[in-house]
């Protein structure tokens, strides 16, 4: 199966080049493209320097439209069947593509692939966060790979919170269909999408190896959504689809504790 990293570039990220370098350094070479709805000199210079095709989406920027553009461009222009929406601030470890393609060969019915991650700050320092520990616990059911195609096992990592880190996910578009993202959330767009995909055919495969450096910093969308309380609002909406009100209140009480991972002077 052909794989493509579709880098979703937005604005002028100081980390874009580091992300591209990591993708170019994959131990198994796969396709790389950059997609943006905010074309600028920085993005173009990085694309030119590393000889990566740059695709520009016309129209107003939006998370759903930008991500769908990444996937659809990889599928239609590059003939990719497996697509990773690479986040411009993050760094993919050299063996990410290797483990992804190995999983796809072993499980042709794999619809979504994800991994463990390491959280880093703006200066590449590793951070120990409680939220990633919780996510690992949520992903425990996915270790039962012989059951990883069942609705129950696919939903267990998602009903108490989103245990599948968005930038670590890759999608088999033959099974997910297009467009992948069909909601209008600003933060939980991936969580709601994974819940929908859990109802469809296909396995969720998690490689419990730290194959991604996930960066937290002041300019990150996650931090912006915490500051304006949109994250809390949207997470409560998702929980309300799954649980009665008293359970939602309890889950949000503990879930909001993860917000402090982004409330430091170093992130």
């Amino acid at each position: 199966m052909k794989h493509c990293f579709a880098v979703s570039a937005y604005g002028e990220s100081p980390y874009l080049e580091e992300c591209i370098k990591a993708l170019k350094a994959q131990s198994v070479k796969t396709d790389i493209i950059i997609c943006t709805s905010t074309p600028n000199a920085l993005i173009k210079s990085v694309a030119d320097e590393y000889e990566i095709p740059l695709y520009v989406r016309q129209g107003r920027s939006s998370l759903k439209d930008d991500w769908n553009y990444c996937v659809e461009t990889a599928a239609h222009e590059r003939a990719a069947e497996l697509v990773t929406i690479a986040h411009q601030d993050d760094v993919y470890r050299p063996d990410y593509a290797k483990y992804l393609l190995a999983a796809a060969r072993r499980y042709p019915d794999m619809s979504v692939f994800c991994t463990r991650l390491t959280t880093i700050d703006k200066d590449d320092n590793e951070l120990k966060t409680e939220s990633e520990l919780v996510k690992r616990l949520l992903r425990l059911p996915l270790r039962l790979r012989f059951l990883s195609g069942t609705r129950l096992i696919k939903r267990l990592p998602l009903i108490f919170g989103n245990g599948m880190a968005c930038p670590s996910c890759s999608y088999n578009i033959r099974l997910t269909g297009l467009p992948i993202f069909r909601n209008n959330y600003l933060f939980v767009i991936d969580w709601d999408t994974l819940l929908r995909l859990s109802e469809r055919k296909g396995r969720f495969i998690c490689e419990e190896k730290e194959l991604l450096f996930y960066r937290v910093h002041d300019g990150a969308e996650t931090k912006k959504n915490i500051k304006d309380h949109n994250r809390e609002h949207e997470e409560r909406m998702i929980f309300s689809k799954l649980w009665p009100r008293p359970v939602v209140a309890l889950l949000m009480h503990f879930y909001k504790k993860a917000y402090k991972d982004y409330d430091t002077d170093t992130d």
Side-chain angles (χ1 to χ4, degrees):
M1 298 179 68
K2 184 177 180 181
H3 170 248
C4 180
F5 285 108
V7 181
S8 181
Y10 180 84
E12 297 182 341
S13 171
Y15 308 108
L16 176 60
E17 185 173 12
E18 187 176 356
C19 174
I20 296 298
K21 285 181 177 179
L23 300 184
K24 297 283 284 189
Q26 290 291 302
S27 59
V28 174
K29 302 304 179 185
T30 62
D31 202 5
I32 306 170
I33 61 174
I34 297 176
C35 299
T36 185
S37 58
T38 59
N40 56 59
L42 185 149
I43 294 173
K44 186 178 186 307
S45 67
V46 171
D48 289 345
E49 180 176 353
Y50 293 93
E51 300 180 333
I52 296 174
L54 173 61
Y55 296 90
V56 177
R57 183 179 74 79
Q58 303 299 319
R60 183 179 179 181
S61 297
S62 78
L63 194 59
K64 178 182 75 173
D65 293 338
D66 288 351
W67 283 5
N68 279 331
Y69 182 72
C70 284
V71 177
E72 291 166 11
T73 301
H76 298 150
E77 300 294 332
R78 315 299 292 185
E81 298 168 283
L82 292 169
V83 181
T84 308
I85 304 172
H87 293 207
Q88 64 181 4
D89 297 339
D90 300 334
V91 181
Y92 292 77
R93 295 201 179 197
D95 286 338
Y96 179 94
K98 171 186 172 181
Y99 282 103
L100 165 63
L101 292 170
R105 286 192 296 270
R106 184 172 182 182
Y107 305 102
D109 61 341
M110 177 185 75
S111 59
V112 181
F113 172 87
C114 70
T115 76
R116 186 184 297 186
L117 56 79
T118 302
T119 304
I120 59 175
D121 66 13
K122 60 184 178 64
D123 299 314
D124 293 341
N125 299 308
E126 293 190 17
L127 304 173
K128 299 298 182 182
T129 65
E130 293 181 7
S131 60
E132 177 52 22
L133 176 60
V134 171
K135 288 177 182 291
R136 292 180 192 179
L137 294 175
L138 292 176
R139 291 194 302 268
L140 280 176
L142 294 181
R143 291 179 179 267
L144 301 173
R145 291 196 173 183
F146 66 100
L147 294 174
S148 59
T150 64
R151 178 180 181 275
L152 175 63
I153 295 301
K154 289 187 289 186
R155 288 180 68 82
L156 281 176
L158 301 170
I159 60 175
F160 297 102
N162 184 6
M164 301 169 67
C166 178
S168 81
C169 288
S170 293
Y171 304 92
N172 179 348
I173 59 176
R174 292 188 305 178
L175 295 176
T176 61
L178 296 175
I180 291 180
F181 305 101
R182 303 178 184 179
N183 62 70
N184 292 309
Y185 292 116
L186 299 178
F187 181 77
V188 298
I189 181 173
D190 58 311
W191 187 5
D192 184 74
T193 297
L194 289 168
L195 282 166
R196 179 177 61 81
L197 294 178
S198 72
E199 304 286 345
R200 298 172 61 97
K201 293 181 179 179
R203 296 175 184 266
F204 284 5
I205 297 295
C206 179
E207 185 60 61
E208 280 294 342
K209 298 182 184 298
E210 294 180 330
L211 298 175
L212 171 73
F213 289 107
Y214 172 68
R215 192 186 308 276
V216 296
H217 60 96
D218 286 337
E221 285 300 312
T222 298
K223 192 156 188 174
K224 293 177 184 177
N225 276 271
I226 292 173
K227 286 183 176 180
D228 66 11
H229 301 288
N230 183 64
R231 175 177 178 174
E232 179 181 352
H233 171 69
E234 291 191 356
E235 288 174 341
R236 190 179 298 275
M237 290 178 67
I238 295 295
F239 279 133
S240 296
K241 294 180 180 180
L242 301 168
W243 300 100
R245 185 175 299 178
V247 178
V248 172
L250 182 63
L251 288 171
M252 285 302 301
H253 172 74
F254 290 103
Y255 211 63
K256 287 194 293 183
K257 293 181 181 295
Y259 297 179
K260 71 178 184 295
D261 291 342
Y262 299 85
D263 190 23
T264 69
D265 293 334
T266 57
D267 65 8

